[in-house]
């Protein structure tokens, strides 16, 4: 039987509160540090490794975390999720983004439909469409090939697909898989759409409108912006646009689009990169085979998330250490620091994934919780971040846990030797140095130059950023967020917090305002 209990009611959590703290600076210094790096490491899918040696844990803490995982029934709750239970209690919905990846060999039926068959059929439809575009069987009105694809969407319809596209763009160019350049329009700020439209040849551009409901204000506004640009160029917009939407939306059977690919209510926006939301733009940009490899990488990581042994389940372990940092050690933030320019937008995606999922103050039953839930997530790629906010991370008054991501090889496989080392070696040297610097610090009589150390971090290490490793990385963090939501007993799959501002914005546009809302509206000349 599954029990949904608040964190502070669990006996294992009370044990964690009483457990001895780890002196990170002490255990990471000298030979003990070397042994920890070798010991505290767990394999992920696709050759990735999660190393947590520089976290404030030891064998005793890990034992307590394993007890917490068992008492909170984390594996059993994941099984409930992928077997089709109504895990999204706020909206009374199933949660099926794992099923899109097809990894667990389950048949889940909803609304009288086999959802696996539904998702697979959409993947096949996208693949066939993409191949026809690449082959020149689907063209513009002049019979010329499309060379650019532009995704119009916001939130989960933009952040995840954009991050993955940027992660794989150079890899695809190097490996002969680059089919079409992709651009993204998300912000309702007209400068966003204008900048993208000014950077492309609209006559050879294919536009993907992504809106599950078909009513998203920002997305429909930007669609009108695009249609206006096509009209001014003497082009028929319906020859240049496809939709990704639900089967019941007004976009589903509209003549305004070449075709429509479908999603459903069981995959939330921030979890939708492996659905048609990411599938259409990524298959057009790189080919459906590359998108299939991405899904396979995610599926492989998902399988690891079913392991009841915490020390062999990297996403669960990462999640539990994060809970320990948030609820026992009292750290309110986490920095995500990829030492790969390819992952430049990955922290932005994780901001939404994590903060929209677990930024909740009530539990699954609507009762206010008395403990902290999701952390603040931020980050930038290394080494750029080192010259930005690392000052605070090293010597600020707050301790911020760090999640590094690093790769042994670059994507383009071109480099230069300067001062006896390559650029890639310099990049990797920096991430290794930062981990030890944060953990061990450096004593100095000059207080301004003193580094206290004791600042925890983990690192995910891989060989290279490619479709399979990106899929595995994405699934790792999706599953980490899911497990943390289970521990905190919150619903990680709705996002009511984004609604109030939308409602008030509609009032402003309808000039139905009073009080402070009216004054702000007047100040902005609305």
């Amino acid at each position: 039987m599954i029990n949904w209990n608040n964190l502070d009611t669990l006996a294992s959590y009370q044990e964690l509160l009483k457990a001895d703290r780890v002196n990170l600076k002490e255990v990471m210094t000298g030979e003990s540090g070397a042994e920890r790096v070798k010991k505290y490491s767990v394999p992920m899918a696709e050759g990735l490794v999660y190393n947590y040696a520089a976290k404030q844990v030891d064998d005793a803490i890990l034992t307590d975390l394993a007890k917490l995982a068992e008492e909170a029934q984390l594996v059993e709750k994941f099984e409930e999720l992928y077997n089709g239970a109504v895990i999204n209690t706020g909206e009374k919905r199933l949660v099926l983004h794992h099923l899109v990846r097809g990894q667990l060999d389950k048949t889940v039926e909803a609304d009288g439909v086999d959802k696996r068959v539904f998702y697979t059929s959409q993947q096949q439809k996208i693949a066939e469409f993409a191949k026809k575009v690449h082959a020149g069987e689907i063209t513009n009105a002049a019979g010329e090939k499309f060379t650019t694809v532009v995704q119009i969407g916001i939130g989960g319809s933009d952040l995840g697909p954009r991050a993955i596209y940027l992660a794989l763009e150079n890899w695809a160019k190097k490996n002969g898989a680059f089919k079409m350049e992709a651009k993204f329009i998300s912000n309702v700020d007209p400068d966003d759409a204008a900048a993208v439209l000014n950077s492309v040849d609209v006559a050879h551009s294919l536009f993907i409108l992504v809106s599950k409901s078909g009513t998203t204000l920002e997305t429909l506004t930007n669609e009108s912006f695009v249609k206006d640009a096509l009209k001014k160029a003497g082009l028929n917009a319906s020859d240049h646009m496809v939709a990704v939407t639900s089967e019941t939306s007004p976009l589903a059977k509209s003549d305004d689009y070449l075709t429509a690919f479908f999603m459903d209510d069981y995959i939330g926006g921030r979890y939708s990169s492996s659905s048609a939301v990411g599938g259409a733009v990524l298959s057009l940009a790189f080919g459906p085979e590359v998108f299939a490899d991405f899904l396979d990488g995610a599926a492989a990581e998902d399988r690891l998330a079913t392991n009841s042994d915490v020390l062999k389940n990297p996403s669960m372990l990462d999640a539990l250490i994060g809970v320990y940092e948030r609820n026992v050690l009292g750290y309110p933030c986490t920095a995500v620091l990829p030492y790969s320019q390819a992952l430049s937008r990955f922290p932005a995606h994780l901001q939404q994934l994590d903060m929209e999922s677990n930024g909740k103050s009530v539990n699954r039953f609507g009762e206010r919780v008395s403990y902290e839930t999701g952390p603040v997530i931020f980050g930038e790629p290394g080494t750029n971040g080192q010259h930005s906010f690392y000052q605070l991370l090293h010597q600020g008054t707050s301790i911020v846990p760090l999640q590094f991501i690093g790769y042994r090889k670059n994507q383009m496989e071109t480099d230069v030797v300067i001062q006896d080392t390559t650029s890639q070696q310099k990049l990797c040297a920096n991430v290794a140095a930062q981990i030890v610097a944060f953990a061990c610090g450096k004593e100095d009589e000059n207080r301004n130059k003193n580094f206290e150390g004791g600042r925890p971090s983990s690192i995910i290490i891989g060989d290279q950023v490619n479709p399979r490793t990106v899929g595995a990385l994405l699934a790792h963090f999706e599953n980490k967020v899911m497990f943390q939501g289970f521990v905190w007993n919150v619903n990680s799959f709705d996002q009511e917090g984004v609604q109030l501002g939308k409602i008030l914005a509609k009032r402003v546009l309808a000039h139905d305002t009073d009080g402070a809302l009216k004054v702000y509206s007047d100040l902005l000349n609305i």
Side-chain angles (χ1 to χ4, degrees):
M1 178 179 175
I2 298 294
N3 297 304
W4 298 94
N5 297 315
N6 284 2
L7 172 63
D8 55 3
T9 68
L10 303 181
S12 51
Y13 174 60
Q14 302 303 323
E15 288 186 41
L16 275 170
L17 290 173
K18 299 172 187 174
D20 293 335
R21 306 290 190 264
V22 173
N23 185 323
L24 184 60
K25 182 174 181 178
E26 183 179 291
V27 299
M28 281 295 290
T29 300
E31 194 57 36
S32 64
E35 291 303 315
R36 279 180 67 89
V37 175
K38 296 173 185 175
K39 176 181 180 181
Y40 289 138
S41 188
V42 56
M44 296 170 58
E46 305 301 337
L48 298 171
V49 173
Y50 172 63
N51 187 288
Y52 55 101
K55 288 290 191 180
Q56 288 170 274
V57 298
D58 57 14
D59 290 351
I61 296 293
L62 292 170
T63 298
D64 287 342
L65 291 176
K67 292 178 182 176
L68 178 60
E70 183 177 2
E71 188 178 5
Q73 299 176 290
L74 298 190
V75 168
E76 292 87 345
K77 288 172 181 175
F78 185 27
E79 289 176 350
E80 284 277 289
L81 182 150
Y82 67 67
N83 281 323
V86 180
I87 296 296
N88 179 351
T89 50
E91 297 171 318
K92 297 179 175 57
R93 293 173 180 169
L94 288 66
V95 176
L96 298 181
H97 58 277
H98 297 91
L99 192 65
V100 179
R101 308 193 279 247
Q103 82 288 2
L104 296 167
D105 299 322
K106 300 292 179 182
T107 296
V108 176
E109 190 170 296
D111 304 326
V113 175
D114 183 325
K115 299 309 293 186
R116 162 160 287 182
V117 172
F118 170 74
Y119 295 139
T120 301
S121 70
Q122 294 309 305
Q123 290 168 357
Q124 292 172 343
K125 185 177 179 182
I126 290 169
E128 291 168 4
F129 181 84
K131 288 177 181 177
K132 288 180 179 179
V133 170
H134 299 153
E137 295 176 32
I138 295 175
T139 65
N140 66 10
E144 299 163 336
K145 280 189 174 184
F146 292 110
T147 57
T148 304
V149 55
V150 181
Q151 179 124 317
I152 309 167
I154 197 166
S157 300
D158 167 70
L159 288 165
R162 187 194 297 247
I164 295 162
Y165 171 77
L166 292 174
L168 297 178
E169 182 180 13
N170 282 335
W171 176 90
K173 289 176 179 176
K174 175 67 178 179
N175 290 275
F178 191 78
K179 308 294 185 183
M180 301 172 70
E181 183 181 26
K183 300 277 189 175
F184 296 83
I185 299 173
S186 59
N187 199 333
V188 75
D189 182 342
D191 284 344
D192 187 18
V196 171
L197 290 169
N198 287 336
S199 71
V200 302
D201 175 4
V202 294
H204 297 90
S205 296
L206 187 62
F207 296 88
I208 305 173
L209 184 78
V210 184
S211 175
K212 184 186 297 183
S213 65
T215 61
T216 309
L217 176 65
E218 296 95 334
T219 302
L220 295 183
T221 300
N222 280 326
E223 180 192 30
S224 296
F225 210 112
V226 168
K227 285 183 173 179
D228 185 61
L230 289 165
K231 182 179 179 180
K232 287 178 179 177
L235 301 167
N236 185 349
S238 62
D239 293 333
H240 289 258
M241 303 195 79
V242 300
V244 176
T245 190
S246 68
E247 289 181 291
T248 57
S249 93
L251 312 179
K253 295 180 174 62
S254 172
D255 292 335
D256 289 344
Y257 308 98
L258 287 168
T259 190
F261 308 114
F262 298 127
M263 50 177 161
D264 59 30
D265 287 333
Y266 305 119
I267 300 176
R270 58 195 175 277
Y271 296 96
S272 66
S273 295
S274 45
S275 75
V277 173
V281 65
L282 296 172
S283 294
L284 285 163
F286 307 132
E289 298 82 7
V290 170
F291 184 66
D293 284 343
F294 163 79
L295 294 181
D296 287 344
E301 189 64 27
D302 288 337
R303 282 191 289 272
L304 295 180
T306 65
N307 197 320
S308 60
D309 184 345
V310 170
L311 299 183
K312 294 180 181 178
N313 188 328
S315 57
M316 185 189 293
L317 180 58
D318 195 359
L320 289 165
I321 292 174
V323 169
Y324 178 68
E325 291 175 331
R326 186 76 171 109
N327 297 102
V328 178
L329 301 180
Y331 302 147
C333 304
T334 297
V336 179
L337 309 169
Y339 274 62
S340 166
Q341 188 60 29
L343 299 180
S344 61
R345 290 296 289 171
F346 200 68
H349 171 58
L350 292 187
Q351 283 178 349
Q352 186 199 15
L353 173 65
D354 202 313
M355 295 168 71
E356 195 170 81
S357 294
N358 292 335
K360 311 289 173 63
S361 57
V362 298
N363 67 12
R364 296 170 58 80
F365 310 107
E367 303 159 342
R368 190 167 184 87
V369 297
S370 57
Y371 46 83
E372 302 292 344
T373 58
V376 174
I377 303 293
F378 69 97
E380 280 289 323
T383 56
N384 296 39
Q386 292 178 200
H387 297 268
S388 174
F389 51 80
Y390 277 39
Q391 168 63 45
L392 183 148
L393 299 182
H394 276 292
Q395 292 183 308
T397 54
S398 296
I399 292 179
V400 178
L402 317 167
Q403 289 201 305
F404 291 101
I405 305 169
Y407 298 86
R408 301 178 191 93
K409 296 191 301 188
N410 60 48
Q411 287 182 314
M412 301 301 285
E413 298 181 8
T414 58
D415 210 339
V416 292
V417 176
I418 300 175
Q419 297 177 351
D420 299 324
T421 57
T422 66
S423 297
Q424 186 67 25
Q425 288 173 323
K426 291 179 175 68
L427 179 70
C428 291
N430 270 277
V431 69
Q434 291 294 333
I435 294 171
V436 175
F438 279 116
C440 299
K442 180 182 74 71
E443 294 183 4
D444 197 298
E445 291 182 2
N446 182 339
R447 298 294 294 276
N448 197 48
K449 296 183 179 181
N450 187 68
F451 291 75
E452 293 180 356
R455 304 194 174 218
S457 68
S458 63
I459 183 169
I460 293 173
I461 301 174
D463 199 44
Q464 188 182 52
V465 179
N466 62 45
R468 287 179 177 271
T469 59
V470 170
L473 188 70
L474 180 81
H476 172 86
F477 283 102
E478 287 182 349
N479 293 329
K480 172 189 174 179
V481 167
M482 172 192 70
F483 283 130
Q484 288 185 328
F486 290 161
V487 174
W488 287 319
N489 198 27
V490 299
N491 178 14
S492 301
F493 306 105
D494 67 1
Q495 55 283 331
E496 292 300 325
V498 306
Q499 299 303 322
L500 179 58
K502 291 181 179 180
I503 294 168
L504 292 180
K506 289 180 179 178
R507 281 184 54 192
V508 171
L509 293 172
H511 300 289
D512 175 22
T513 57
D514 54 20
L517 190 61
K518 183 180 189 313
V519 176
Y520 279 121
S521 302
D522 292 342
L523 286 171
L524 289 163
N525 294 326
I526 299 169

